[in-house]
Every structure is written in structure tokens, then in C-alpha cells.
Amino acid sequence: MSNFIAQLQYRTPQEGGRETPAFSKYRPQIKFDFDEMQTSGEQTFIDKDIVYPGRKSKR
């Protein structure tokens, strides 16, 4: 298991992203640009409980 802190920004619907906010403990499917494999992991927000599309948060 790996733990790391990253700053993420969810794309807006106009950018092809989320229409609804994400909540802390969110477990999305993730595909990194450098690998064809998809994975998932829990995103626990450090500085807030909810992140709206287009906004940034540390996780």
C-alpha cells in the first residue's frame, strides 16, 4: 500500500469532468498517463470534506 500527498483539481463538466462534488473518502478509478493500467484508491481530503469541480484540494 502506498500513501502520498498530491494536489488535485477535478475537471469541470465543460472540460469533460465531474458534474457533482467529490467527498472525502472518494474511491475513483484512476488511470495515470504513464501506464495503461487502471487502479483505485481512497482520496482523503486534508483541508476540506467536499471538493467541487474546478476547485483544488490536497489529498
Side-chain angles (χ1 to χ4, degrees), residues 30-59:
I30 301 169
K31 182 186 175 301
F32 294 102
D33 291 339
F34 57 83
D35 197 347
E36 292 297 316
M37 183 180 79
Q38 288 193 6
T39 187
S40 68
E42 184 176 277
Q43 295 180 0
T44 304
F45 306 143
I46 294 172
D47 54 354
K48 55 190 83 172
D49 292 327
I50 301 172
V51 178
Y52 292 90
R55 301 283 173 91
K56 294 179 183 177
S57 178
K58 290 185 181 177
R59 326 183 151 57

Side-chain angles (χ1 to χ4, degrees), residues 16-29:
R18 297 181 59 85
E19 293 185 12
T20 59
F23 295 85
S24 195
K25 307 290 184 184
Y26 178 51
R27 294 185 64 84
Q29 287 290 100

